[in-house]
Amino acid sequence: MSAEAQDVAVNATHAILPILRRFNDAFIRPEGFAWREAYAVAAMTWGASRGLAIAHAGQDFLSALMLSRSVPLRMADIDAPLRPVGADETAMVGLLEAMQADDTPRARDLIALVTAGRVEAAVIRTGLALAQRLDPIAPPPSTQARPALSVVG
């Protein structure tokens, strides 16, 4: 798959990554302004009212994850590609996708993976709240030709 095709294939759940990366950076370096950038990126991505709500839900989710872990999250640089990089990001995005799809067994496994076995209600609650706000995962486009309309009669 070409790089252009991969960019088009990125689903809406991946759009939360730049926001989560900036919040993670803000937790690591609280003296910076990464948290402001997170809200700005969300507003640019989804519009002001929806974007700010998504960013707030993302911050809640990331905070709950960080509190449930004994080690910090390993996340890519804030300007990394719009796809998961590394095990923690892959598990977080997979968790949100599983929650959106109501795939409880997969979500349960991913929560255990990303929290190192410490499944806490706050992670589930905030993850579901964030997943609900994100765009639903669209099914892949059909490879069959679309039927053409024609005038009968």
Side-chain angles (χ1 to χ4, degrees):
M1 185 184 293
S2 72
E4 291 172 31
Q6 286 177 343
D7 287 341
V8 170
V10 171
N11 69 46
T13 309
H14 292 190
I16 193 68
L17 277 173
I19 290 102
L20 294 177
R21 287 172 179 157
R22 281 170 171 79
F23 279 130
N24 188 59
D25 191 51
F27 286 127
I28 293 168
R29 288 183 285 282
E31 70 280 359
F33 293 98
W35 64 272
R36 293 176 80 182
E37 292 176 15
Y39 282 104
V41 169
M44 286 187 295
T45 303
W46 290 286
S49 62
R50 184 163 181 246
L52 297 178
I54 288 172
H56 182 73
Q59 189 273 336
D60 285 346
F61 174 63
L62 191 65
S63 294
L65 275 178
M66 294 175 93
L67 290 171
S68 72
R69 294 170 52 102
S70 59
V71 296
L73 286 162
R74 290 177 303 263
M75 296 187 74
D77 184 66
I78 60 174
D79 296 319
L82 196 60
R83 49 181 100 29
V85 177
D88 286 344
E89 287 188 0
T90 300
M92 282 192 315
V93 168
L95 173 59
L96 293 170
E97 290 172 346
M99 287 177 162
Q100 283 182 313
D102 203 14
D103 185 349
T104 304
R106 182 169 170 244
R108 188 179 306 121
D109 291 343
L110 288 167
I111 289 171
L113 178 67
V114 78
T115 63
R118 290 185 59 193
V119 179
E120 296 187 19
V123 174
I124 297 167
R125 185 183 67 256
T126 59
L128 286 170
L130 176 57
Q132 180 185 18
R133 290 192 177 279
L134 296 172
D135 295 327
I137 299 168
S142 174
T143 56
Q144 298 176 342
R146 295 184 130 185
L149 296 176
S150 60
V151 178
V152 179

